[in-house]
Amino acid sequence: MLHPFQRILVACALVLSIFGWTSEAQAAEPVFVGSYGDKFCDTPIASATDLEARFKGSLAIKADGSHAMVGCKATPRQFLVAFQMDDPKAGLMTVADLPSYAHDMKATSAKRDHEYKSACLWQVAGGSFAVKFNCIQREIRRGEVIFASRTGVLVLMSNCANPGVVEVPPIVVTARPCVRVEFPNFAGNVPTRVVFIGRKALNPNCIKLEVAGVSEAYRDLPQQCPNAYTKTVVDEQGRKRLYRVSCNWDAIEQAASGLLGYRASVQNVSTSFYGKVNGTNVLYLPPEALDGEVVVCYGDGDNHSFGVRRRDYIDGKAVIPLDVVLANR
């Protein structure tokens, strides 16, 4: 089992390639490039018969399933890869099986308090697109439905036509009005920077930071070391040199957006400070912070960044373990 906390600039996902058509499941894993996934279809799927007609139209042009469907970026081949992975009991063998498979789909009511994961199209080396599983996690759109297959498996989201659907129940926090993120504190000259990256600014009522070794809790979050500043460094030859130091959030925003499945940006929770003692810091946030990512950046750049998302909270608390941070410093 993978450790739930990964360095945010490294994202791993289970993937199957559309290459090697004779055996989809044995194809080589593609090399993904870029930062964002894309939906399978720009035009929503209105019904099972609508999807069936799109499959038939594409296969009439190219029987091997390599032609993009009407209103879609995806081809029947790419849908087949996803359905084979998501619904193995359906026994889909070739793209010729797709029209009847779509015909038998049933629209089900999506749960408003749930989120849904899905596959997406992701650019690979060479400019083409391949299927990436567990690519996007989001709330359901107004009026959107989830299609289930004849085997009863959730297989398609209507608005984006993304397959590989996984239902994600909500995290209900009852023990306290705030969620909390605990992360290590290090004494010395290593700055610690914390930022919330998400869709929208958070309600400030719950925002509070407890810094190890500091008696009071900050509601106006400290900025003891700004994200860009100049410092004097003595090199090995004893010469004093000025260094421009910056913690560039652009790469962090980009990586977080890829993980969250939407274009996320730095919001109203941001702080930086120098630790005075070794210990544990605690950041309190409203439950809406679960729809986003809290990133902790150690040092002068972006090389030692750790993020927590919805899946990392247990009973309203997420912990970035000391041993994980030390192992990646």
Side-chain angles (χ1 to χ4, degrees), residues 78-100:
Q78 291 163 327
F79 274 101
L80 179 63
V81 167
F83 290 148
Q84 284 176 329
M85 181 68 182
D86 193 28
D87 191 14
K89 292 183 179 179
L92 296 175
M93 300 301 293
T94 71
V95 290
D97 298 328
L98 292 176
S100 63

Side-chain angles (χ1 to χ4, degrees), residues 53-112:
R54 296 194 204 192
F55 280 135
K56 287 181 176 178
S58 174
L59 294 173
I61 297 172
K62 285 196 175 182
D64 66 356
S66 62
H67 189 273
M69 294 153 55
V70 171
C72 303
K73 298 181 179 68
T75 66
R77 284 189 184 185
Q78 291 163 327
F79 274 101
L80 179 63
V81 167
F83 290 148
Q84 284 176 329
M85 181 68 182
D86 193 28
D87 191 14
K89 292 183 179 179
L92 296 175
M93 300 301 293
T94 71
V95 290
D97 298 328
L98 292 176
S100 63
Y101 181 71
H103 179 83
D104 293 340
M105 287 183 183
K106 303 294 183 184
T108 65
S109 297
K111 299 177 181 178
R112 295 296 305 175

Side-chain angles (χ1 to χ4, degrees), residues 142-218:
R142 184 178 297 275
E144 188 171 15
V145 300
I146 306 295
F147 288 98
S149 76
R150 55 196 175 210
T151 68
V153 175
L154 300 180
V155 290
L156 196 81
M157 302 178 73
S158 65
N159 274 29
C160 54
N162 283 2
V165 178
V166 178
E167 194 174 75
V168 182
I171 295 174
V172 179
V173 180
T174 57
R176 59 191 67 85
C178 310
V179 297
R180 52 193 283 170
V181 180
E182 297 184 0
F183 57 97
N185 198 72
F186 300 101
N189 294 321
V190 176
T192 300
R193 296 182 173 88
V194 181
V195 69
F196 170 73
I197 298 177
R199 270 187 258 251
K200 55 188 177 182
L202 299 179
N203 185 328
N205 292 342
C206 230
I207 298 171
K208 182 176 68 173
L209 176 66
E210 295 176 353
V211 176
V214 178
S215 58
E216 73 271 17
Y218 297 103

